[in-house]
Amino acid sequence: MALTEGIKQQIQQSYREVLAGKGVRARYGQRLMIAEIAKYMGEITENDGQRTSPPAACVVEAGTGTGKTLAYLIAAIPVARALGKTLVISTATVALQDQIVLKDLPDLKKHSKMDFSWTLAKGRGRYLCMSRLESRLHDEGNGDSDTMPLFLLDSPGTEEPGTRAFFEEMLASYGSRKWDGDRDHWPEQIPDEIWRQVTTDHRQCTNRHCSYFDSCAFFDARKDLDEVDIVVANHDLVLADLALGGGAILPEPENALFIFDEAHHLPDKALNHFAAAVPINSTRQWLKQLSQALAKMQPYLAPATQAAKTVDRISSASRDVDLVLARVYEEAEQNTGWEFNEERRSAQWRYPEGELPEALAELAAESRIATANLVRHLGALADELQGAFDERKQHEIDRDTAEAWYPVIGAFHSRSEDQLRLWTAWTEQVGGPKVPEDSEQANSDSKPKSPSHKSPPPARWSVRQRWDHAEDITLYSSPVLANNLLYSRLWSRAYGAVLTSATLTALGRFDRLQARAGLPEASRLLVVPSSFRYAEMATVEVPSMACIPTDDGFADELIKRLPHVWAGETATLVLFTSRRQMHQVRDALAPEYPDLIITQDDMSRGEVLRQHRSRIDEGRASVLFGVASFAEGIDLPGKYLHHVVITRLPFSVPDDPIEAGLAEWISQRGGNPFMEITVPDASIKLVQAVGRLLRTEDDTGRVSILDRRIVSRRYGQLLLDSLPPFRRIIER
């Protein structure tokens, strides 16, 4: 749809109104980003609402201070409304999601004449299930409840003090509307093991048949989803919807314009979403729970009914699964080269090129058949129970029994499906017929321009863990790249897609993102210049060090040098690549510098940052010690951060099986994994780490890099050049 003059004028007028209303000046990078996104959307051609132009994405790297959110909102909202498409904004973090919903969109509507509506979309698992909460309280008051058997699924072995009071407070807060049932809006963080007891998923939810449907937090949050102009979601929810075929939770990709903020997370999120795992002994224990549940359910089903027969089939199928899992465990335990050491109670084994040993491959095929049989029968029983909700028909199962047992069987069905995903992934043929690159088939214009011919085999590995009184072996599978998944399920279907982040390039190029995200060939790529005057605002310093991180004495050198490095500073962030080394250095320095150092592990993230700010406000010095999550996810503007110290270049852990699989594939193709994977990945992490320093145009400070490899190794210059153009001070 070519941009009409009316839409162009609306974009320009809205931008002027927002700038005037907020009393801020226009930013060159922001204007460039608005123009690029609007131009991209204007070049999409369509017929009767369906895109006819080739798949393409608009990729914009824009650093801190650009005003990315305002830029993409002002550019995309008028176009989406004119097209009659839903604008889906997806973030990687809850913090940004809430900021867009609670601050950015209301601000834009307040200061411009644009008329639009929006809603927040989260997965079912982020919301309270009143039925589960009632069952949880009921179970606690009736220790041997037969009709509410949810304790079989995931209740903890011992009750924590105050748990009942906590659930009662939750019920009272939701009932009085002081809380909306959103996990992220509860005043304190709710531990996963507690939250699992009061939430649900699509397999356990009875939807409109639930007695709490009219007051359901999830459906209440979703009621406006089909009516609004803008849906604010997150990457996990978008991927979950795509896994269900698209359009199950969010608008169909063909009818949506997507904006992926924090887009550098999308490929890894996709890998996590399509990975699979089966812990063998835990699964066998789970099968015992299934057997117990079926035994408790049996008295509620009349003999010779279809449901009773299905229960018998499930019992038989679960025994078959248990028998084959015992053989899988024995094979993996006895014929794998496990290597344990005194420090680690786990050992990992990766199957090169994803190829399984013949005996294990045969057992995986048996496991797939047995698990598929269990999945089928559990699904049949879930359907039988669901059928009892239809009061217009006579049914063999009464409604009370169906309401009590449908969530239980749904949970067992869901977990069995997860197990089947692993066995399916483990039995898929690795590789397949290879097409020579110069063959007629490879160069056929009739083939869609997708990255499918560039995919490595899946990563397959196993982990053996030992505890004091038990052990387990967990089997894993994951795609190595998300390129095909994202291309086939998202880019090839979406009406349009914009990706933005402060870190989309690696070593100044988009190659890494294009390979990992499977971006279409017709995509537009842009790096927006920053408004920061880096050379005037900050320095990057590489002080002299007696050794490098690969030397044995590096930790001792850090302990000796760090006090000199941070001397005279009031607000310092020291970033480590290893928790163990962070604690080692802290333990050595804390006695000499009491009340100065806080590590990110000392307390919750919010409390760590609060104490740091409090010290600065009181005129005291504060040094934060952190690892990877603090290198990307914290915001300490102004006086709260003047100095970022990088102790070691952030190279990936060498035993990661997915990265190892990718490196193996690149080597086989004649490439250099270190230069093609390790160094570009490190450059992105390094840019994110130094990005903690300057958050506004008024900030100043310095970055110290204590890893001399950045000046002594050939790749070091590439990493140094990938940083913002700070003034450099390098000691010889």
Side-chain angles (χ1 to χ4, degrees):
M1 182 200 80
L3 288 181
T4 64
E5 283 303 314
I7 292 176
K8 290 179 185 177
Q9 288 177 12
Q10 187 180 2
I11 292 171
Q12 293 164 0
Q13 182 62 28
S14 297
Y15 189 45
R16 286 193 294 266
E17 289 167 354
V18 171
L19 295 177
K22 300 185 74 169
V24 296
R25 59 184 176 81
R27 301 172 187 175
Y28 173 69
Q30 193 175 56
R31 289 165 51 201
L32 202 62
M33 187 171 174
I34 292 170
E36 180 72 7
I37 293 172
K39 186 177 180 184
Y40 156 75
M41 291 184 172
E43 290 180 354
I44 299 172
T45 59
E46 54 107 20
N47 180 29
D48 197 24
Q50 297 300 302
R51 173 176 52 78
T52 55
S53 50
C58 176
V59 183
V60 182
E61 180 178 273
T64 304
T66 303
K68 294 187 287 291
T69 309
L70 179 61
Y72 62 63
L73 290 176
I74 281 182
I77 290 173
V79 178
R81 281 177 57 82
L83 288 167
K85 304 295 181 186
T86 304
L87 185 63
V88 177
I89 301 170
S90 178
T91 73
T93 61
V94 170
L96 181 55
Q97 201 176 16
D98 285 343
Q99 177 190 311
I100 292 170
V101 169
L102 302 175
K103 181 179 180 294
D104 297 328
L105 286 168
D107 262 10
L108 178 57
K109 192 160 189 175
K110 175 183 176 183
H111 295 298
S112 74
K113 293 186 175 65
M114 280 199 284
D115 181 31
F116 56 86
S117 57
W118 68 89
T119 192
L120 177 66
K122 295 182 181 179
R124 202 180 311 246
R126 303 305 296 179
Y127 291 97
L128 173 74
C129 170
M130 276 296 295
S131 179
R132 291 293 304 271
L133 177 59
E134 182 198 55
S135 299
R136 186 66 188 80
L137 288 167
H138 185 281
D139 282 349
E140 198 166 278
N142 301 273
D144 192 24
S145 169
D146 284 343
T147 55
M148 294 293 181
L150 296 176
F151 72 92
L152 286 166
L153 299 181
D154 47 27
S155 61
T158 58
E159 284 294 332
E160 294 183 6
T163 298
R164 181 176 179 84
F166 175 79
F167 288 135
E168 287 175 342
E169 180 188 1
M170 188 178 275
L171 179 62
S173 297
Y174 186 68
S176 63
R177 311 308 286 175
K178 291 179 182 176
W179 177 50
D180 61 1
D182 185 331
R183 179 183 183 180
D184 301 312
H185 296 164
W186 187 257
E188 294 88 31
Q189 188 171 356
I190 304 175
D192 288 345
E193 64 272 16
I194 300 295
W195 182 252
R196 274 197 299 270
Q197 299 173 54
V198 293
T199 191
T200 190
D201 61 26
H202 75 286
R203 285 293 187 203
Q204 300 176 65
C205 179
T206 56
N207 293 300
R208 297 183 182 278
H209 303 298
C210 178
S211 53
Y212 291 103
F213 179 78
D214 291 336
S215 59
C216 176
F218 171 67
F219 283 104
D220 187 53
R222 285 197 61 191
K223 64 179 184 290
D224 298 326
L225 212 57
D226 296 332
E227 310 297 329
V228 296
D229 302 307
I230 303 165
V231 174
V232 182
N234 56 61
H235 300 346
D236 288 320
L237 187 62
V238 171
L239 291 164
D241 186 58
L242 294 174
L244 293 171
I249 307 168
L250 300 170
E252 293 179 347
E254 292 81 1
N255 293 317
L257 281 168
F258 289 93
I259 295 179
F260 292 98
D261 204 337
E262 303 173 312
H264 60 283
H265 287 290
L266 190 61
D268 286 340
K269 290 273 190 184
L271 288 183
N272 291 338
H273 197 83
F274 292 100
V278 167
I280 301 175
N281 280 341
S282 295
T283 301
R284 296 186 69 195
Q285 189 63 36
W286 171 83
L287 288 169
K288 290 180 182 177
Q289 293 181 341
L290 172 58
S291 178
Q292 292 169 18
L294 295 176
K296 281 185 172 287
M297 184 182 185
Q298 199 94 43
Y300 296 93
L301 305 175
T305 60
Q306 187 60 43
K309 292 175 182 176
T310 304
V311 166
D312 291 338
R313 293 187 191 106
I314 294 171
S315 297
S316 175
S318 68
R319 286 192 294 272
D320 292 342
V321 173
D322 186 63
L323 288 171
V324 73
L325 286 181
R327 293 164 58 208
V328 172
Y329 193 95
E330 182 181 10
E331 174 64 30
E333 180 186 39
Q334 295 181 1
N335 297 314
T336 304
W338 304 111
E339 291 185 7
F340 291 91
N341 57 45
E342 292 180 3
E343 295 176 1
R344 297 178 61 184
R345 304 183 75 176
S346 68
Q348 177 177 286
W349 183 268
R350 184 179 69 86
Y351 303 99
E353 300 178 51
E355 292 283 1
L356 300 175
E358 185 176 351
L360 195 56
E362 290 175 358
L363 286 169
E366 287 186 46
S367 299
R368 177 180 180 175
I369 293 168
T371 305
N373 196 35
L374 179 62
V375 169
R376 184 170 68 255
H377 293 313
L378 281 167
L381 183 56
D383 290 342
E384 286 282 324
L385 292 165
Q386 191 173 36
F389 294 132
D390 190 348
E391 296 175 345
R392 297 169 299 178
K393 298 178 182 177
Q394 285 289 104
H395 206 275
E396 297 173 338
I397 305 172
D398 66 85
R399 186 182 176 100
D400 287 345
T401 298
E403 284 189 0
W405 285 98
Y406 180 80
V408 180
I409 298 304
F412 282 118
H413 185 210
S414 180
R415 184 158 171 179
S416 66
E417 286 182 317
D418 289 342
Q419 294 159 15
L420 182 58
R421 283 175 54 215
L422 182 281
W423 298 122
T424 301
W426 266 42
T427 51
E428 285 176 346
Q429 183 182 354
V430 172
K434 295 184 179 179
V435 180
E437 291 186 7
D438 58 351
S439 72
E440 184 180 344
Q441 184 183 352
N443 291 299
S444 170
D445 291 334
S446 64
K447 292 181 69 180
K449 294 191 174 183
S450 79
S452 57
H453 61 287
K454 301 177 182 177
S455 286
R460 293 169 177 162
W461 70 102
S462 52
V463 174
R464 185 176 176 185
Q465 291 175 287
R466 289 173 172 169
W467 298 279
D468 289 340
H469 303 292
E471 69 171 59
D472 206 348
I473 296 173
T474 303
L475 313 179
Y476 295 90
S477 178
S478 172
V480 167
L481 291 176
N483 55 351
N484 281 333
L485 291 167
L486 289 173
Y487 183 89
S488 62
R489 295 175 187 245
L490 181 57
W491 314 131
S492 66
R493 296 182 57 193
Y495 189 88
V498 175
L499 293 81
T500 188
S501 169
T503 47
L504 291 177
T505 59
L507 304 176
R509 300 171 62 89
F510 284 100
D511 298 7
R512 178 184 181 277
L513 178 69
Q514 287 176 291
R516 294 187 179 229
L519 294 175
E521 292 182 7
S523 298
R524 303 170 65 99
L525 311 169
L526 174 70
V527 176
V528 171
S530 173
S531 60
F532 287 177
R533 307 172 314 285
Y534 287 109
E536 301 171 26
M537 297 168 72
T539 59
V540 58
E541 305 172 12
V542 185
S544 60
M545 296 285 287
C547 55
I548 61 174
T550 52
D551 295 336
D552 290 338
F554 185 68
D556 293 332
E557 177 72 359
L558 285 179
I559 293 165
K560 175 185 173 183
R561 294 285 288 134
L562 275 173
H564 300 286
V565 171
W566 73 50
E569 296 286 0
T570 56
T572 302
L573 171 64
V574 183
L575 294 169
F576 296 81
T577 58
S578 156
R579 268 192 160 80
R580 184 181 171 195
Q581 190 170 82
M582 176 179 76
H583 292 144
Q584 180 185 357
V585 174
R586 188 273 311 273
D587 292 345
L589 291 173
E592 192 174 346
Y593 299 92
D595 300 322
L596 176 68
I597 300 168
I598 314 174
T599 81
Q600 74 172 75
D601 292 339
D602 289 347
M603 57 205 82
S604 71
R605 178 198 190 99
E607 183 61 20
V608 166
L609 297 178
R610 190 196 67 76
Q611 287 201 15
H612 172 77
R613 292 190 186 98
S614 178
R615 288 180 179 183
I616 304 302
D617 289 338
E618 293 168 5
R620 299 157 57 201
S622 181
V623 176
L624 284 178
F625 278 15
V627 288
S629 57
F630 263 41
E632 180 182 359
I634 62 169
D635 192 12
L636 293 168
K639 66 180 181 179
Y640 297 115
L641 187 59
H642 279 199
H643 191 186
V644 174
V645 181
I646 311 290
T647 60
R648 182 176 186 148
L649 294 175
F651 292 122
S652 298
V653 180
D655 62 354
D656 181 283
I658 298 175
E659 294 297 324
L662 183 57
E664 184 176 66
W665 180 68
I666 287 173
S667 296
Q668 290 171 348
R669 293 162 61 91
N672 181 337
F674 183 74
M675 294 305 297
E676 292 182 42
I677 306 171
T678 310
V679 173
D681 285 2
S683 79
I684 285 185
K685 293 173 185 173
L686 193 61
V687 170
Q688 288 167 346
V690 304
R692 300 310 96 211
L693 183 65
L694 304 179
R695 310 304 295 168
T696 73
E697 293 181 5
D698 298 322
D699 290 350
T700 59
R702 62 190 180 118
V703 175
S704 295
I705 300 176
L706 307 187
D707 189 337
R708 293 286 299 183
R709 290 178 297 179
I710 200 163
V711 291
S712 65
R713 297 289 192 267
R714 181 170 62 91
Y715 59 78
Q717 191 65 45
L718 295 173
L719 294 174
L720 205 53
D721 290 344
S722 72
L723 298 178
F726 301 125
R727 188 165 57 88
R728 296 178 184 176
I729 301 174
I730 299 173
E731 294 182 11
R732 300 299 175 187

